[in-house]
Amino acid sequence: MSYKKFENTYLNYLSQHKWLVWVMILTVVLIWGYAWTLMKEALQYMGPFTFSAFRFGTGTLAMFIIIGLLGATKLPKESTKHLVVVGILQTSIVFLLVMYGLKFVEAGKSSVLLYSMPIWSTLLAVIFLKEKTKTNKVVGLLIGLIGLFTILGWDIWVNQTPGVILGELLIVLSAISWGASNVYYRKKLSHLSQLQVNAYQMLFGTLGIILVAVLIEGGEPIHITPYSIYIILFTGVLASAFCFTAWFFLLSIIDMATATISTLLVPVFGLFFGWLLLDEPITWSITIGSFLILFGIFVTTIKKRKST
């Protein structure tokens, strides 16, 4: 079966069974939320950059098996340089910074900070894509930024260490890089299949991660155990390859606003699993800041839905 025929058949089936769409959304956000605790625990077995190399190396292999089976490996040559840029922004920078930041910051708080990404996407789209700024979008952005600084600001004065501050700033930078990759994708690669873009950007991004891992952590020990293999396979195959593939189909069925709003559940599950599995505390600053970030993103995406 050709790639286009498979895609159309699957999309038609999902369109006729709406409950499956919501099952898929819940599955994706649950996997992504749980993956944050696994990413934190992976640091007990290997360096953060080494783990990222294993994770996305596994994810890249899985992605190319998928697009190979679907006959979707061929890309226009002129798109290669743009895919390299997206790969560096979305995979290399984001996950190198996130994994290093996780050495100092709880998994739950890290997920909240990273999923401030839609706020930065909105701000960068205004600057580089010349999107018009409407009242609801500005209000949502300001609410989200207040929430972000609530999480960072309150804890600075309460048992805060330079390492934690550094980790939080690195994760915020990773969210900005992710937002930048979204804007660059819309500007340069939106005409391509998102499934293909995910596969190739992950490939180029993984090469960057491997280079950093070899240079910085080349001599460090790697502890291979059944549990560390489980972490790599889960985050590589499920959290990366499967979830990105599922996300491609979801974006073809539901509107962008609904899809974006659904990702707000990821940090909620990240905080929950961090508390449940890693005994990470949920403080008032995290609770209030998280609520403000999620509400700010909600306001922003609601305006996007109205403008479409």
Side-chain angles (χ1 to χ4, degrees):
M1 181 181 294
S2 68
Y3 166 61
K4 290 297 183 182
K5 186 175 181 181
F6 172 83
E7 177 184 323
N8 292 334
T9 300
Y10 190 66
L11 291 179
N12 289 335
Y13 184 80
L14 286 178
S15 298
Q16 295 171 8
H17 301 80
K18 292 294 185 182
W19 64 273
L20 283 177
V21 174
W22 295 106
V23 169
M24 185 180 292
I25 290 174
L26 182 60
T27 301
V28 168
V29 297
L30 271 171
I31 290 174
W32 278 344
Y34 174 53
W36 279 94
T37 63
L38 296 181
M39 290 159 59
K40 180 75 173 181
E41 292 192 307
L43 299 179
Q44 301 175 24
Y45 301 95
M46 62 195 75
F49 305 145
T50 302
F51 166 71
S52 295
F54 277 120
R55 171 188 175 176
F56 286 101
T58 303
T60 298
L61 178 61
M63 286 293 290
F64 271 89
I65 290 174
I66 292 171
I67 66 173
L69 291 174
L70 296 177
T73 56
K74 188 176 182 179
L75 282 173
K77 292 182 179 180
E78 62 271 14
S79 299
T80 301
K81 60 182 179 181
H82 301 307
L83 288 165
V84 171
V85 173
V86 172
I88 292 173
L89 289 173
Q90 184 170 318
T91 297
S92 297
I93 294 178
V94 170
F95 288 96
L96 286 173
L97 294 183
V98 163
M99 288 307 302
Y100 192 77
L102 275 171
K103 295 179 67 174
F104 311 102
V105 184
E106 294 91 348
K109 184 190 290 188
S110 299
S111 66
V112 173
L113 294 177
L114 181 62
Y115 278 86
S116 67
M117 171 273 296
I119 296 174
W120 305 110
S121 292
T122 300
L123 182 61
L124 292 171
V126 169
I127 297 173
F128 294 103
L129 300 180
K130 307 303 179 183
E131 289 191 353
K132 294 182 179 180
T133 55
K134 299 299 178 69
T135 301
N136 281 13
K137 185 174 290 187
V138 173
V139 170
L141 179 61
L142 291 176
I143 293 173
L145 288 174
I146 291 171
L148 178 64
F149 286 114
T150 298
I151 292 177
L152 297 177
W154 289 17
D155 285 351
I156 287 176
W157 309 106
V158 182
N159 299 323
Q160 191 77 307
T161 66
V164 173
I165 296 174
L166 173 62
E168 291 171 345
L169 291 176
L170 290 177
I171 294 170
V172 171
L173 287 175
S174 70
I176 296 173
S177 181
W178 190 0
S181 74
N182 292 338
V183 172
Y184 193 88
Y185 165 78
R186 286 181 56 189
K187 195 173 182 67
K188 300 293 186 180
L189 295 168
S190 58
H191 61 286
L192 297 179
S193 159
Q194 188 172 347
L195 183 61
Q196 291 176 311
V197 171
N198 281 331
Y200 279 93
Q201 71 83 17
M202 193 180 295
L203 170 64
F204 295 125
T206 300
L207 294 177
I209 291 175
I210 291 174
L211 177 62
V212 173
V214 171
L215 291 176
I216 297 179
E217 298 175 349
E220 295 186 9
I222 301 174
H223 302 288
I224 301 297
T225 68
Y227 188 57
S228 66
I229 294 174
Y230 163 74
I231 293 175
I232 292 171
L233 291 177
F234 187 96
T235 57
V237 176
L238 292 180
S240 298
F242 168 76
C243 284
F244 282 134
T245 302
W247 198 244
F248 164 74
F249 287 112
L250 287 173
L251 289 175
S252 300
I253 299 171
I254 60 179
D255 59 274
M256 183 65 70
T258 303
T260 305
I261 290 172
S262 69
T263 65
L264 306 188
L265 289 173
V266 176
V268 174
F269 284 123
L271 287 166
F272 172 74
F273 284 120
W275 167 76
L276 180 67
L277 302 175
L278 302 179
D279 295 322
E280 295 179 351
I282 299 180
T283 65
W284 280 110
S285 63
I286 292 176
T287 302
I288 296 173
S290 300
F291 172 79
L292 289 172
I293 287 176
L294 300 183
F295 183 66
I297 297 172
F298 177 79
V299 171
T300 300
T301 54
I302 285 297
K303 188 58 182 175
K304 286 181 181 177
R305 187 192 303 186
K306 289 181 180 179
S307 63
T308 57

